Amino acid sequence: MSRVSRPDGRTDGRTDGRTEDLPDDRPEEPPDTAGGSGHGAGHGSRQGPHHGSGHGRPGHGSGQDPAHGSGDTTAPGTAHDSAGATASTSASTSASASAAASTPAAASDARHRLTALQGLAALSLDAMASVAYGPESIVLVLAAAGGYGLGFTLPVTLAIAALLAVLVASYRQVIAAYPDGGGSYAVARTHLGRRTSLVAAASLLLDYVLNVAVSVTAGVAALTSAFPALYDDRTGICLAVLLLITGINLRGIVDSAKAFLLPTAVFIGAVLTMIVAGLLRDAPASTVTADGHASVLAPHATAVGALLLLKAFASGCSALTGVEAVANAVPSFRAPAVRRAQRTEVALGALLGVMLIGLSVLIGRFHLQPVEGVTVLAQLADASLGHHAAFYVVQFATMVLLALAANTSFGGLPVLMGLLARDNYLPHVFGLKADRQVHRHGVLALAAVAAVLLVFSGGDVNTLVPLFAIGVFVGFTLCQIGMVRHWRLDRSPGWRGKALLNGCGALLTGVSAVVVTATKFTEGAWLIVLALPLLVLLFEAVHRAYTRIGERLGLGRVPEPLHRARCLVIVPVSHLSLLTYEALNAAVSLGDEVVAVTVTHGAPEDRPAAEALRRDWELWNPGVELLELPSATRSIGRPIAAYVTGLTTRRPGTRITVLIPEAEPAHLWQRLLQNQRGAVVAHAVRRDTDAVICRLRFRLETDARMW
């Protein structure tokens, strides 16, 4: 027979509140903390980057995606480094990918991955848009040496183009050697050590975040230049543009590529048309844009020093940002991913090189001088196409592409964050993928940090530019050094020439990194110098935390044989309903013993509800004891947690489960009508006890009369 009881025998009290839908705030599931990227063969039942059951053999990784693979059961230092796969590994990976492509699931997945042309639109916007400020950066530096200094614009640009060719050739090899993406991080992790790889990852992370902020502010600056009335609203416009780009990328990288394909094609076509038209002219078609603006050319200068040329080279290298994005996002391409990514990288380098050299030739051909308030690209469009519709097409296309150049970061950074999460240097949530192959949490994190930067800068591009490009040069340098070591170990045919090429690239990008940092240090570059080691320390702290969790959970070790313990299920109730019925049904199915508990209060107004519950329980007679837990205060969770603690002490061999019944409304807005009783109980039990918490959700059917 059912009993209603309480420890002190009193019967006064009330529990008339309803339990409600618990927020999904369960503690994180056991993470993969084995320090490699291989994933063991354990069969975890919960999805996530860390859902292994520990039955895999240590050291035998399957290289699965952290969001979908089984749990990592490899011991630290023994897992295969999927980011550092050799070329032969990538070949086998491509072969297996081709075989899988015939399955329906693979065909469906391919729709959410990039073709070479889509990759050019999704991952090259940063590099393409840099032609709007790269040549101008060179001209502004050389203007300090007067007209004589401007004569070195083409030689400096040719040096940058040569470096671009080196970088493209290098990253083409990086794509083949590291098909899992990661770029500089993957190369440094394999050949330069763990700490150096974290520096590379931190530099790329900073560059990608700053690229979003700089690109958006530059695009909005072009807009406010055309419409000065919008100048005071530039911060809000920047945030609106960021929200638009974020929303598109949450739908998938393929959707973003399709959305940005037309603006990219218009910009490339406009710039190439401008270059061809300019080369066919003997004199400028128009100078209306620059008329009335003061020149920034230094007078009476007749010499150019090596330091000035070096500074111009370093400033112009800002046009190289974004070259690494394709190598970082190789997994986003359709199979064969390596070949498609390599084609995209070469096309990006060729187009960027042609545009940079072509614009520099026009600067010399028209004897262009930098002026205040007018961009070099605008002057070139005016001189080549004349001041009519074609001029405004170039300006509008430049404005749109500058604003959309942030998309490069949304294509590359979430993949990099996923790799860091796989290696336990970032929270594993960044390794999860949505159905459209989107690292959703990485996209949202990037947008949030970029929004903070936009608000901090007030939408002013000049506040952010001094911080830009330093991180990418550090990543370039580490990648080149790592590839030199790669060729020395690989010793494939022609390895000496390839190593020499990468060595020269490392020297050039290293010098550029030092020069850019030194010249812009007081303008804000010191923040990057400070942020790099802080990010590395953050990565290390996350890794240590996962290592401790892994040791505590015994990941990578075969557990002891299973043994059955007696199970006691505790069900908090406040009234009789179908919810109570379903909860007790589930409880008697789960446990050997079931106890229903209700918290009562001593206030006179609470007694009728408590007496009604007691009377109804005796009439129902479900065969389960109802235990009343008195509470001197209005607390609900603490009395239940205290009761569980006492049971644990008295019955140490019993496994205790607290089953919390909750109603799931048919409409989202109806959740506002619920109280937080279930959440309070779950929080108290989780905080004060080691009991298992089970959430039973009773779904309410849709009522046609409710809106």
Side-chain angles (χ1 to χ4, degrees):
M1 177 179 178
S2 302
R3 294 185 298 125
V4 180
S5 62
R6 56 183 297 170
D8 58 1
R10 300 188 319 189
T11 60
D12 55 332
R14 177 181 72 88
T15 55
D16 58 345
R18 294 175 297 166
T19 59
E20 72 145 334
D21 196 18
L22 271 172
D24 197 359
D25 58 352
R26 291 169 291 173
E28 181 176 307
E29 296 170 347
D32 285 343
T33 55
S37 62
H39 295 265
H43 300 283
S45 60
R46 293 171 295 185
Q47 291 186 354
H50 43 261
H51 62 279
S53 62
H55 297 289
R57 292 176 296 169
H60 295 269
S62 62
Q64 295 177 353
D65 184 277
H68 304 287
S70 54
D72 187 346
T73 58
T74 56
T78 64
H80 297 293
D81 180 9
S82 61
T86 61
S88 60
T89 303
S90 68
S92 63
T93 303
S94 300
S96 62
S98 299
S102 60
T103 66
S108 176
D109 179 68
R111 292 200 303 269
H112 303 300
R113 297 186 184 271
L114 298 169
T115 63
L117 183 60
Q118 290 171 342
L120 193 64
L123 302 172
S124 70
L125 296 183
D126 178 18
M128 294 298 178
S130 65
V131 303
Y133 51 79
E136 184 163 6
S137 300
I138 299 172
V139 169
L140 288 175
V141 173
L142 293 177
Y148 182 74
L150 292 180
F152 288 88
T153 301
L154 182 57
V156 171
T157 303
L158 289 175
I160 293 173
L163 178 57
L164 172 63
V166 172
L167 290 173
V168 169
S170 175
Y171 276 105
R172 191 174 181 276
Q173 298 301 324
V174 171
I175 290 169
Y178 302 92
D180 287 335
S184 301
Y185 169 68
V187 176
R189 187 181 187 275
T190 304
H191 298 295
L192 302 179
R194 181 177 59 86
R195 186 66 58 85
T196 305
S197 71
L198 296 182
V199 174
S203 66
L204 287 174
L205 191 149
L206 289 173
D207 175 67
Y208 277 137
V209 171
L210 287 168
N211 172 60
V212 173
V214 169
S215 298
V216 172
T217 53
V220 173
L223 176 65
T224 56
S225 297
F227 303 97
L230 299 175
Y231 183 79
D232 293 336
D233 301 320
R234 61 190 186 277
T235 301
I237 298 174
C238 286
L239 294 176
V241 172
L242 176 63
L243 182 63
L244 172 65
I245 298 174
T246 302
I248 293 175
N249 278 277
L250 286 175
R251 289 187 54 82
I253 192 170
V254 172
D255 282 359
S256 69
K258 291 177 180 177
F260 301 148
L261 189 58
L262 180 60
T264 304
V266 171
F267 176 79
I268 294 174
V271 172
L272 293 179
T273 301
M274 181 181 67
I275 293 172
V276 173
L279 292 176
L280 296 177
R281 293 186 182 275
D282 295 327
S286 171
T287 59
V288 173
T289 305
D291 290 345
H293 294 267
S295 174
V296 298
L297 201 65
H300 311 302
T302 59
V304 176
L307 184 59
L308 186 66
L309 290 175
L310 197 60
K311 184 177 179 180
F313 174 80
S315 297
C317 280
S318 60
L320 302 180
T321 58
V323 173
E324 79 291 345
V326 177
N328 289 333
V330 179
S332 299
F333 285 85
R334 294 183 188 177
V338 169
R339 188 179 305 168
R340 292 183 187 272
Q342 286 179 326
R343 291 174 181 172
T344 302
E345 184 73 45
V346 172
L348 168 61
L351 287 172
L352 183 57
V354 168
M355 288 191 290
L356 288 176
I357 295 174
L359 293 177
S360 297
V361 170
L362 293 185
I363 291 172
R365 188 179 185 85
F366 295 136
H367 305 288
L368 183 144
Q369 297 181 7
V371 297
E372 294 181 355
V374 179
T375 65
V376 169
L377 191 63
Q379 293 185 64
L380 290 176
D382 198 20
S384 298
L385 303 174
H387 202 78
H388 48 75
F391 168 81
Y392 290 103
V393 169
V394 173
Q395 292 304 102
F396 182 76
T398 303
M399 177 190 70
V400 172
L401 203 72
L402 279 170
L404 299 182
N407 194 68
T408 297
S409 295
F410 283 99
L413 182 59
V415 176
L416 174 63
M417 295 178 73
L419 293 176
L420 287 168
R422 180 203 62 188
D423 294 336
N424 303 322
Y425 292 112
L426 281 180
H428 288 156
V429 69
F430 291 115
L432 296 175
K433 285 185 180 180
D435 293 338
R436 293 174 174 265
Q437 296 299 315
V438 182
H439 290 84
R440 184 173 297 164
H441 296 88
V443 169
L444 293 175
L446 173 58
V449 177
V452 171
L453 284 176
L454 290 173
V455 173
F456 169 77
S457 66
D460 182 13
V461 68
N462 293 323
T463 304
L464 299 170
V465 165
L467 311 178
F468 192 46
I470 296 175
V472 74
F473 283 132
V474 174
F476 281 161
T477 304
L478 294 177
C479 183
Q480 299 289 318
I481 295 173
M483 289 305 294
V484 171
R485 182 171 175 80
H486 171 80
W487 296 126
R488 290 186 61 187
L489 295 175
D490 182 71
R491 293 186 178 273
S492 58
W495 71 270
R496 287 186 175 87
K498 296 175 182 178
L500 179 61
L501 187 68
N502 291 133
C504 293
L507 178 62
L508 292 174
T509 55
V511 170
S512 299
V514 173
V515 172
V516 172
T517 303
T519 56
K520 298 182 178 181
F521 188 82
T522 57
E523 301 177 27
W526 62 271
L527 286 172
I528 302 300
V529 176
L530 180 64
L532 273 174
L534 289 179
L535 276 176
V536 172
L537 291 176
L538 174 64
F539 294 154
E540 294 279 17
V542 172
H543 192 271
R544 285 195 300 271
Y546 277 136
T547 300
R548 288 193 295 267
I549 294 172
E551 292 174 351
R552 177 64 177 167
L553 294 177
L555 292 180
R557 297 193 297 271
V558 178
E560 297 178 357
L562 300 178
H563 67 279
R564 177 179 174 82
R566 183 173 180 79
C567 181
L568 169 62
V569 181
I570 299 172
V571 183
V573 298
S574 59
H575 54 266
L576 292 189
S577 64
L578 284 178
L579 185 62
T580 308
Y581 169 77
E582 292 292 342
L584 292 182
N585 260 341
V588 296
S589 302
L590 291 174
D592 303 300
E593 182 181 355
V594 178
V595 175
V597 298
T598 183
V599 179
T600 59
H601 307 287
E605 63 270 19
D606 295 329
R607 292 176 183 172
E611 292 173 356
L613 176 61
R614 188 181 310 116
R615 182 178 59 254
D616 292 343
W617 195 272
E618 291 176 349
L619 289 174
W620 182 30
N621 189 20
V624 175
E625 176 187 3
L626 175 64
L627 179 64
E628 296 183 6
L629 303 176
S631 175
T633 65
R634 308 302 297 182
S635 175
I636 299 174
R638 289 182 180 177
I640 296 177
Y643 174 67
V644 173
T645 301
L647 280 179
T648 303
T649 303
R650 296 191 301 271
R651 303 170 67 170
T654 302
R655 182 174 295 278
I656 299 176
T657 298
V658 179
L659 189 149
I660 303 174
E662 301 172 296
E664 175 116 358
H667 301 281
L668 182 63
W669 67 268
Q670 292 173 343
R671 296 186 181 184
L672 299 174
L673 306 178
Q674 296 179 300
N675 58 37
Q676 295 294 325
R677 187 180 299 268
V680 170
V681 171
H683 175 72
V685 173
R686 180 182 295 113
R687 180 191 59 200
D688 299 334
T689 76
D690 293 328
V692 177
I693 299 175
C694 180
R695 299 163 57 186
L696 175 70
R697 297 198 174 181
F698 182 76
R699 298 185 182 274
L700 302 178
E701 295 182 358
T702 303
D703 189 341
R705 295 171 299 173
M706 301 186 69
W707 48 274

